[in-house]
Amino acid sequence: MLSIFQRKPKTCIGIDIGTSSIKVVQLKRSENRYRLETYGELQTYGYLERLNDPLQTKSLKILEAHVIEMVKELLKETGATTKNAVMSIPVFSSFVSVTDLPPMLEKELPRALVFEAKRHIPIPLSEVRIDWKVINKTIVDLEGGLSAGKAGKKGLTKFRVILIAVPKEVIAKYLRIAKALELKLLALELESFSYIRSLVGSDPSTICILDFGARSTSFTVVDKSFIQMSHSLDIAGSELTKALAHGMGIDFRRAESYKRESGLGAGGLGAEKELRDILLTFVDKIVLELERMIDSYQRKTKRKVTKLILSGGSGGLIGLEEHLKKRLKLNIEVANPWARVVRLSLLDPILKELAPRFAVAAGAAMREL
Ligand SMILES: Nc1ncnc2c1ncn2[C@@H]1O[C@H](COP(=O)(O)OP(=O)(O)OP(=O)(O)O)[C@@H](O)[C@H]1O
Ligand SMILES: [Mg+2]
């Protein structure tokens, strides 16, 4: 039962079960600051060997036992001391849509949302948990004009809502993992909310975040520190490695190290050019999607996206920052989830290197503190 005497926990672990690795971050709240207590990452079992395995994608069912073992090992290795945990759910396991509803009375909203959910969610509503939030309201007055603020008694209101649906099966899996690890699961949230918390906080500007991971890439527009648009693509680091391996006739392991060593910075001749061209085919699909999303947001709201934050392990692709700068003509910033976290300064070089991969775990840990 909620009580006014209920205190927020002092320490919490954020857990991000990614396709290529699991990340954990333990933070402590002290005097309105977050303090980094411990962190760690463990490569997912056989990730590179399983690049062609479709089971690696959508359902992690078969991997559940491995995941439990890995998180257990990681928590032990990092010396995590609390059982309080927040876990993040990947964008590719859920359905997220931001929709503008036609003008209506506020009391009509719940029914309209069920209708919208049926339209946007490709599986039966009985199989998903739905969450929604109004992100913008505009009153439509009798003359048809628009004004922001509270709706009058009879006034119609235009709502922009974010709808999030997570399959009950996915939630059950996370609950089983937490139970097996004897964790006190304080919350489960979509990973976009975790990285918005660690990367944007209360910054009111219009920002786009790119989480360029291993299995999927998510794009999020955040404005006035709240999610306004969200989208994801099934093109990410794994796809780049697979394309290099197939295109150059090499195995996944070599393709992975070529990708990391040369990236888009490779020279203009022979094999290096081939590598760069293969990577660019995929990177430019992401750029195109980014352009579309930014353009659509700007046209709809007349607000200008001022910067792009580059997050996720593939965000570390050599030459990506310069390429995006040239193509998008935007300020590009590499994700830094440690910006509001007190940490030992001797850890700074390593934390800087890890930063783009830890935005989700750090943001999850911040949620309940
Ligand atoms: N220096 C680098 N250059 C290019 N790619 C890199 C580099 N370092 C890591 N990666 C890629 O980043 C990906 C891992 O990133 P991340 O840890 O964000 O993914 P994940 O969270 O496991 O995956 P997902 O979120 O898609 O489930 C891998 O595909 C890896 O190849
Ligand atoms: Mg990830």
Side-chain angles (χ1 to χ4, degrees):
M1 197 173 78
L2 278 179
S3 139
I4 51 167
F5 301 111
Q6 191 173 12
R7 293 241 177 112
K8 285 196 155 201
K10 281 217 162 65
T11 49
C12 186
I13 316 169
I15 303 178
D16 169 17
I17 302 173
T19 311
S20 70
S21 71
I22 296 172
K23 296 94 169 160
V24 301
V25 171
Q26 181 174 312
L27 296 179
K28 179 178 185 163
R29 183 93 189 185
S30 73
E31 290 154 18
N32 278 335
R33 301 291 302 268
Y34 301 112
R35 194 173 287 277
L36 177 63
E37 294 204 315
T38 187
Y39 66 92
E41 181 181 20
L42 197 61
Q43 298 300 311
T44 312
Y45 167 80
Y47 161 66
L48 277 176
E49 289 71 26
R50 292 184 291 104
L51 276 189
N52 273 333
D53 180 357
L55 281 173
Q56 181 180 335
T57 56
K58 289 277 185 238
S59 148
L60 281 175
K61 220 169 192 171
I62 210 165
L63 302 175
E64 200 172 305
H66 286 308
V67 168
I68 293 169
E69 276 317 302
M70 280 189 294
V71 182
K72 193 183 273 174
E73 194 182 326
L74 192 52
L75 293 176
K76 197 170 143 206
E77 260 177 36
T78 52
T81 50
T82 180
K83 291 283 174 196
N84 297 323
V86 173
M87 293 169 109
S88 293
I89 301 177
V91 175
F92 63 76
S93 308
S94 38
F95 310 95
V96 186
S97 68
V98 176
T99 338
D100 286 303
L101 299 172
M104 63 181 70
L105 294 170
E106 188 142 12
K107 65 175 187 205
E108 292 169 337
L109 188 58
R111 256 188 50 198
L113 282 166
V114 173
F115 183 73
E116 277 306 303
K118 280 190 185 145
R119 231 160 55 88
H120 290 280
I121 298 160
I123 58 175
L125 293 193
S126 58
E127 291 173 23
V128 291
R129 263 277 295 274
I130 294 183
D131 202 2
W132 57 271
K133 198 172 166 76
V134 173
I135 43 185
N136 194 29
K137 328 184 182 191
T138 319
I139 299 168
V140 185
D141 67 29
L142 293 174
E143 282 79 42
L146 300 176
S147 65
K150 281 189 180 166
K153 260 188 187 154
K154 288 186 182 159
L156 297 181
T157 307
K158 283 174 85 173
F159 294 97
R160 176 175 301 152
V161 289
I162 179 164
L163 260 180
I164 301 160
V166 182
K168 287 180 180 165
E169 178 205 327
V170 171
I171 297 178
K173 185 191 75 191
Y174 277 81
L175 295 180
R176 283 195 302 271
I177 293 174
K179 191 169 174 214
L181 293 162
E182 293 170 356
L183 292 170
K184 184 175 173 199
L185 189 62
L186 303 178
L188 254 180
E189 70 174 356
L190 201 65
E191 59 185 0
S192 327
F193 289 93
S194 310
Y195 62 62
I196 291 174
R197 192 174 301 111
S198 65
L199 301 179
V200 176
S202 54
D203 184 341
S205 21
T206 315
I207 298 169
C208 186
I209 305 175
L210 179 73
D211 180 20
F212 192 4
R215 150 123 172 49
S216 77
T217 299
S218 71
F219 312 81
T220 307
V221 175
V222 185
D223 202 353
K224 297 178 190 132
S225 66
F226 200 79
I227 187 167
Q228 301 289 340
M229 260 190 178
S230 168
H231 186 51
S232 74
L233 266 189
D234 275 353
I235 299 176
S238 308
E239 204 63 38
L240 301 186
T241 302
K242 267 200 273 185
L244 284 184
H246 294 148
M248 302 176 82
I250 51 179
D251 64 27
F252 291 145
R253 209 156 276 280
R254 269 183 73 196
E256 178 74 17
S257 46
Y258 275 167
K259 178 180 80 172
R260 293 187 188 211
E261 282 159 21
S262 306
L264 303 176
L269 285 173
E272 289 201 328
K273 181 175 184 310
E274 196 185 340
L275 183 134
R276 184 187 149 89
D277 287 349
I278 295 173
L279 294 178
L280 272 181
T281 320
F282 290 90
V283 167
D284 282 343
K285 284 187 188 161
I286 291 172
V287 175
L288 207 68
E289 207 54 47
L290 260 172
E291 275 173 332
R292 256 193 230 144
M293 183 167 180
I294 291 173
D295 200 51
S296 145
Y297 187 72
Q298 294 186 155
R299 260 189 296 115
K300 220 173 184 175
T301 61
K302 308 275 179 283
R303 287 179 63 87
K304 193 158 171 37
V305 172
T306 52
K307 73 174 168 197
L308 172 73
I309 302 181
L310 208 50
S311 187
S314 301
L317 189 70
I318 292 171
L320 180 65
E321 203 179 328
E322 293 70 28
H323 184 71
L324 291 175
K325 234 177 228 165
K326 243 190 277 161
R327 287 283 312 264
L328 298 168
K329 303 200 170 49
L330 266 183
N331 282 331
I332 315 277
E333 223 174 65
V334 176
N336 180 15
W338 316 117
R340 288 176 297 129
V341 175
V342 180
R343 69 265 171 192
L344 285 176
S345 59
L346 66 93
L347 289 176
D348 273 353
I350 177 79
L351 289 179
K352 187 172 176 218
E353 208 266 310
L354 300 175
R357 297 205 299 281
F358 275 76
V360 171
M366 289 171 185
R367 181 184 158 121
E368 300 292 316
L369 295 178

